[in-house]
Amino acid sequence: MKVTLFMAVSLNGFIARKDGEEDFLSHDNWNSFSELVNSHKNFVIGRKTYEAVKKWGEEYSFDDFTNAKKIVVSKNKDYKLDKGYILASSPEEAINIFKEQGAEKALITGGSNLNTAFAKKGLINEIILNIEPKIIGEGIPLFFTDKFDLELELKDIKELGKGLLQVRYEVG
Ligand SMILES: NC(=O)c1ccc[n+]([C@@H]2O[C@H](COP(=O)([O-])OP(=O)(O)OC[C@H]3O[C@@H](n4cnc5c(N)ncnc54)[C@H](OP(=O)(O)O)[C@@H]3O)[C@@H](O)[C@H]2O)c1
């Protein structure tokens, strides 16, 4: 199972503003995310990301990915999700659900706390970042601060449009 972490960041490594807003991310970025979801046919998000994106309205909705298996991770085993979402109580459980369904790859896509949980457990094989040509002064970081390191090998860099850079690394 190849596990890819995909995230969109400001140039200074924030994934959202302090209040959770992602207004600095572009439509090109959303299109790029959509392509990755369509090729993986699955993704995993943290409970707080699930709640944040639900508030965005119809233009940017996870509900539109009807062909993708969508897992939300929460420690609360009674957490109620909308139809079309699957609950997992840990990163390992999320990966096992996909494995049992026969998936060969999985897409992890935030937020900060979930990224750190996967990183600390050594579950990430690849990282793809879309770097927006923006710096925001305050925000939520790509990884929540904790004790871990990842060794990375750069595999690809491309410009997706209007200064949006995509970098891809393998995790050693
Ligand atoms: N720029 C981007 O690409 C991008 C992508 C995704 C999200 N975001 C932004 O990131 C922000 C949310 O990030 P966040 O760090 O606050 O929250 P998060 O990672 O989305 O969710 C955190 C929650 O996930 C669950 N969780 C995390 N690790 C777990 C573990 N090891 N076992 C079981 N459950 C676990 C817990 O839910 P319970 O509390 O229910 O137990 C935890 O409170 C939002 O503003 C969102 O918009 C940005």
Side-chain angles (χ1 to χ4, degrees):
M1 165 75 70
K2 180 176 181 183
V3 178
T4 299
L5 173 71
F6 167 79
M7 295 296 290
V9 293
S10 66
L11 182 61
N12 55 331
F14 288 130
I15 62 168
R17 293 188 190 276
K18 231 176 166 181
D19 62 3
E21 278 295 317
E22 294 188 30
D23 57 302
F24 59 96
L25 301 184
S26 62
H27 192 66
D28 284 342
N29 170 64
W30 181 262
N31 288 341
S32 160
F33 168 64
S34 303
E35 281 172 22
L36 276 169
V37 173
N38 290 331
S39 67
H40 280 74
K41 297 186 175 53
N42 66 41
F43 63 87
V44 185
I45 49 174
R47 191 262 307 161
K48 289 184 183 168
T49 294
Y50 170 74
E51 289 181 359
V53 174
K54 259 177 93 155
K55 292 182 193 145
W56 287 0
E58 284 179 9
E59 198 183 354
Y60 299 109
S61 172
F62 287 152
D63 296 352
D64 293 340
F65 299 111
T66 49
N67 292 329
K69 309 279 184 201
K70 302 182 278 284
I71 292 186
V72 177
V73 182
S74 169
K75 289 192 178 74
N76 178 0
K77 292 189 174 174
D78 298 321
Y79 189 75
K80 292 279 169 274
L81 293 166
D82 289 343
K83 200 166 166 263
Y85 294 83
I86 303 161
L87 188 66
S89 60
S90 68
E92 293 90 337
E93 191 185 338
I95 296 300
N96 284 336
I97 290 171
F98 287 152
K99 276 186 186 162
E100 280 164 15
Q101 292 173 343
E104 288 174 358
K105 50 188 185 174
L107 192 65
I108 312 305
T109 187
S112 187
N113 279 279
L114 190 76
N115 296 347
T116 292
F118 271 86
K120 281 188 74 178
K121 291 181 177 177
L123 292 173
I124 303 172
N125 305 117
E126 180 184 61
I127 296 181
I128 299 175
L129 296 183
N130 279 358
I131 305 172
E132 294 282 3
K134 303 264 172 67
I135 287 176
I136 59 168
E138 299 183 299
I140 299 173
L142 178 59
F143 290 96
F144 192 77
T145 312
D146 209 330
K147 283 189 183 145
F148 70 96
D149 292 326
L150 298 180
E151 293 293 331
L152 306 178
E153 190 180 332
L154 182 63
K155 290 292 177 183
D156 195 23
I157 306 179
K158 56 188 174 197
E159 189 177 353
L160 300 181
K162 291 184 186 156
L164 177 66
L165 278 186
Q166 184 173 84
V167 292
R168 187 168 66 81
Y169 298 89
E170 262 178 31
V171 179

